[in-house]
Amino acid sequence: MRKLFTSTVFVLSVLGASAVPAAADTIKIGYVDPLSGGAASIGQIGLNQMNFIADAVNKKGGINGEQIEVIGYDNQINPQTSLVQVQKAIDEGVRIIVQGNGSSVGAAIEGFVEKYNRRNPDAHIVYLNYAAIDPAMTNESCSYWHFSFDANTNVKMEALTNFIKQREEIKKVYLIDQDYSFGHAVAESAVSMLKEKRPDIEIVGNEFHPLVKITDFSPYIAKIKASGADTVITGNWGQDFSLLIKAAGQSGLDVNWYTYYAGAAGGPTAIKQANMDGRVFQINEGISNLGYAPAENTAREYGAVYKDAPVLFPRIFNAMTMLFMAIEAAGSQDPAVFIPKLESMDYASFSAGGESFMRKDDHQLFQPLYISAFGPLANDQSFDEEHTGWGWTKVGEISAKDTVIPTTCEMKRPS
C-alpha cells in the first residue's frame, strides 16, 4: 500500500519541518459558494475553514515555497451565477476551483471545467467538490478534472438504510427533500433501498419543496403528522433543514429524523431548541467527539479563531490537505501535473485517522462514514455544537472499504 498520509499532522506539522522561505508566487484557490442569501451561513463557514487551513500552511512556509491565497466568490447558489464567478476566478489567475453546496451548481461547474480545459490545453483548471453529491457527477458525467471528497448520495443512503433495517420499530417513513437533482437522488435511493431491505416499511409521503425559498414549513409538517409517519428521511441542508426542524418542534411532531446534513450551520441549534434529544441522526464523514487527538486539537484551534461559527466540515480538511500533498509531491501547482498524484492517493482521514483512498476510475474519495445522534454531552465528551451544550455521539461506523460501490464512469483522460 502507498504511504497513508494524515491530514492534521500534515497541515500543522510536516510542513513546518520542510518549510522554505515563501516565494512571490501564490497558489490561488477560488472558493465558489453562497456568501449571501439563505445559504450564506453554510458558505461562510466553508470559507472560514479554507482560510484557517491556508493560514496554518502559510505560517509554516507554504507549499513548495508558495503561499496559499483563498479567494471567495459568491455564487448565490445559482448555476449561471456560479459559471460567471468561475470565469472571473480564472481571469484573476485561479486554477483551482472549490465548491460544495448544491449539486445543480456542481454539475454546471463540472461541465464548464471540462469544456474549458478542452479549449485551453495549456492552462488547465481543476474542480474540487467537497459536498455536491449527486451520483451522476462521478458516474455518467464524470470528468478527469473533477474530484469528489464527500460520499455520494447512494453511498450514504446505503449506510443509512442498513442502519434503519435493523430498527424494527420503524414502520412508516416520510421523505421530504429539496426540489433539485440532489433532493431527487436522495428520495429515489431511499425508496429503492428500503424496498429491497425492508419491504414491510410503508413510504407514506414523498415530498419536494423549492430550494432555499420556504420560510414556514408548518404546512409540510402538517402533512407529515397526518401521514402517521414514525420516521422522516431528508437530505435537506442549511436553512431548509433548520426551519423544517423548527416547525416540527413547534408542532410537537413525534418522529425520528435520518439526515445527511443535520450537523451543518444552524442545524444543531434548531434541534436543541426543538428539544429533540436523540431523535435526529446523521450520516457523514466525521464528528468532533471521536477521541482522535490530532483532530480534536485542530478543532480547538479552529474554535478559538472562529468562536461564533465553530462548526467543522471534516471533508474540507480532507480535500485541502490531499490537494496540498499532491502539489508538494508533484512540485507544481499545475493541475495537469499534480492530478496524477491526487487521483491515486491513500490517506488517513481528518476525523479519526481512518484509511481512505481516492478511486482513480472516477475520482471519488472513499472514507470511513459515521452515523451519529444528537443530544446532551456525555461526561467523556468535550465538544458541543454551536454552543448548545449538545453534541454528536457515534452510533454506527462504516469503514471505507465497506462503502465502495460500482461506478459507470468512462473517464476521458487527456492524451
Side-chain angles (χ1 to χ4, degrees):
M1 178 178 286
R2 295 179 291 273
K3 180 179 179 183
L4 192 67
F5 295 102
T6 304
S7 63
T8 310
V9 172
F10 181 88
V11 170
L12 300 180
S13 302
V14 174
L15 287 174
S18 59
V20 297
D25 292 337
T26 60
I27 299 172
K28 293 185 176 182
I29 301 175
Y31 178 78
V32 182
D33 252 336
L35 299 174
S36 65
S41 60
I42 298 286
Q44 186 61 51
I45 286 175
L47 182 58
N48 291 349
Q49 288 173 41
M50 296 274 290
N51 282 322
F52 174 82
I53 295 166
D55 288 345
V57 172
N58 287 339
K59 288 176 182 177
K60 299 295 185 179
I63 305 294
N64 299 329
E66 296 179 320
Q67 293 284 285
I68 309 300
E69 180 184 4
V70 178
I71 307 170
Y73 297 90
D74 181 13
N75 70 357
Q76 301 170 30
I77 205 163
N78 178 284
Q80 289 307 117
T81 302
S82 298
L83 300 188
V84 171
Q85 295 291 52
V86 169
Q87 185 61 61
K88 180 180 178 181
I90 293 170
D91 293 342
E92 294 178 352
V94 171
R95 293 292 175 265
I96 300 167
I97 301 295
V98 176
Q99 179 270 342
N101 294 290
S103 293
S104 56
V105 171
I109 293 176
E110 183 176 28
F112 177 93
V113 169
E114 178 73 24
K115 292 177 182 177
Y116 179 90
N117 286 342
R118 286 201 301 266
R119 296 168 180 169
N120 299 273
D122 297 322
H124 297 105
I125 58 176
V126 65
Y127 164 35
L128 307 184
N129 165 15
Y130 72 88
I133 59 173
D134 185 338
M137 296 181 68
T138 49
N139 285 284
E140 59 265 31
S141 301
C142 68
S143 168
Y144 179 78
W145 308 102
H146 164 252
F147 288 82
S148 178
F149 292 88
D150 196 3
N152 75 30
T153 303
N154 291 343
V155 172
K156 289 186 175 182
M157 189 58 71
E158 183 76 27
L160 265 186
T161 50
N162 282 343
F163 186 74
I164 288 172
K165 76 178 181 181
Q166 301 170 12
R167 299 174 74 94
E168 295 181 359
E169 72 275 14
I170 297 177
K171 302 295 184 182
K172 295 183 177 183
V173 170
Y174 198 103
L175 309 175
I176 180 166
D177 291 288
Q178 296 149 318
D179 191 8
Y180 74 113
S181 58
F182 164 66
H184 284 267
V186 171
E188 289 168 8
S189 61
V191 170
S192 174
M193 293 180 189
L194 287 175
K195 182 178 180 180
E196 175 187 351
K197 300 173 186 180
R198 281 286 304 275
D200 60 302
I201 289 179
E202 182 182 358
I203 305 295
V204 295
N206 194 350
E207 186 94 23
F208 298 97
H209 63 81
L211 175 65
V212 197
K213 293 185 183 300
I214 305 299
T215 58
D216 179 9
F217 276 91
S218 56
Y220 295 93
I221 295 299
K223 290 183 182 180
I224 296 173
K225 184 177 286 190
S227 74
D230 53 57
T231 300
V232 174
I233 298 176
T234 181
N236 278 22
W237 53 268
Q239 73 172 35
D240 284 340
F241 176 77
S242 300
L243 294 177
L244 180 65
I245 290 294
K246 177 183 177 181
Q250 291 173 341
S251 75
L253 178 64
D254 184 20
V255 300
N256 286 335
W257 298 77
Y258 289 86
T259 78
Y260 281 29
Y261 295 118
T269 298
I271 300 168
K272 169 66 181 298
Q273 290 175 345
N275 196 32
M276 293 185 181
D277 178 8
R279 306 302 301 270
V280 179
F281 301 83
Q282 69 169 346
I283 173 80
N284 71 351
E285 78 285 359
I287 56 176
S288 294
N289 290 310
L290 290 176
Y292 183 57
E296 289 190 352
N297 292 337
T298 301
R300 289 189 183 94
E301 293 178 15
Y302 177 79
V305 176
Y306 295 99
K307 298 180 178 66
D308 296 332
V311 175
L312 277 178
F313 297 150
R315 54 189 174 273
I316 291 182
F317 283 79
N318 291 337
M320 290 302 96
T321 308
M322 292 179 72
L323 166 68
F324 296 153
M325 291 190 298
I327 291 174
E328 185 180 59
S332 173
Q333 61 168 295
D334 182 349
V337 179
F338 72 70
I339 280 179
K341 301 293 185 180
L342 182 57
E343 71 171 357
S344 56
M345 187 178 289
D346 290 328
Y347 174 74
S349 64
F350 173 85
S351 294
E355 293 190 10
S356 306
F357 62 93
M358 182 66 71
R359 183 164 64 184
K360 189 174 182 179
D361 292 347
D362 58 353
H363 293 179
Q364 171 69 58
L365 180 68
F366 290 94
Q367 59 198 314
L369 295 178
Y370 302 88
I371 299 174
S372 54
F374 196 65
L377 291 179
N379 291 334
D380 61 344
Q381 293 180 320
S382 302
F383 296 93
D384 76 339
E385 299 290 328
E386 298 182 333
H387 310 298
T388 60
W390 285 19
W392 294 102
T393 298
K394 183 181 76 171
V395 296
E397 179 178 350
I398 308 95
S399 68
K401 64 181 177 61
D402 291 330
T403 71
V404 176
I405 60 175
T407 179
T408 60
C409 173
E410 297 181 0
M411 186 173 287
K412 296 180 181 178
R413 297 177 172 273
S415 57

